[in-house]
Every structure is written in structure tokens, then in C-alpha cells.
Amino acid sequence: MFKGKLPDAVLASLLETLPVEFSIVDANDKVLAWNRHETRVFRRTDNVLGRDVRVCILARASPRWKRSLLK
């Protein structure tokens, strides 16, 4: 488990430089945040914040993603 504390600016820089695209959702599947990875699979605008992740990506998701999201 991670020990210590990071200033917000350091954490933001770390998350933005990871070589993967990711989104963060809460326990209710609401979109909280995402990084701005250069090779985005799912393009997002700020209006998806707080929306259900399944609604945001199901229209463009592959069948495999849809199966995992609908579980």
C-alpha cells in the first residue's frame, strides 16, 4: 500500500504522465476524473463528469467492453 502524502500538483503530474489511458469512477459508476493520454480510445469532454460511465461509453464500446460494463 502507498505510504506518505503527495501534493496535488505532484499527483496530477504523475497521473498525466502514466503511459496508459484511464478513467476514475466512484462506487455508483459516476465519472470522477480521467487522464489526458495522447492516444485516447474514448474522447471525453468535461460534461461527462458526474455522469454514469456506462451511458458515456456504451454507444462506442466494443462488445467485450459492453459485456464487462453491464455486469
Side-chain angles (χ1 to χ4, degrees):
M1 179 168 190
F2 178 78
K3 299 277 184 180
K5 294 187 178 212
L6 295 174
D8 288 347
V10 172
L11 180 59
S13 294
L14 174 68
L15 295 175
E16 289 297 335
T17 57
L18 290 173
V20 295
E21 172 187 353
F22 65 88
S23 297
I24 300 169
V25 297
D26 66 12
N28 297 312
D29 294 327
K30 303 296 182 200
V31 178
L32 298 176
W34 61 85
N35 68 341
R36 293 181 173 89
H37 194 262
E38 293 175 10
T39 58
R40 297 233 51 103
V41 173
F42 298 109
R43 301 275 177 213
R44 297 170 188 84
T45 59
D46 289 348
N47 68 345
V48 302
L49 290 171
R51 291 180 61 198
D52 189 302
V53 69
R54 293 166 293 194
V55 172
C56 295
I57 67 171
L58 271 178
R60 297 182 305 201
S62 70
R64 185 173 131 215
W65 274 96
K66 286 180 185 180
R67 281 192 305 274
S68 67
L69 287 170
L70 294 173
K71 288 184 179 182

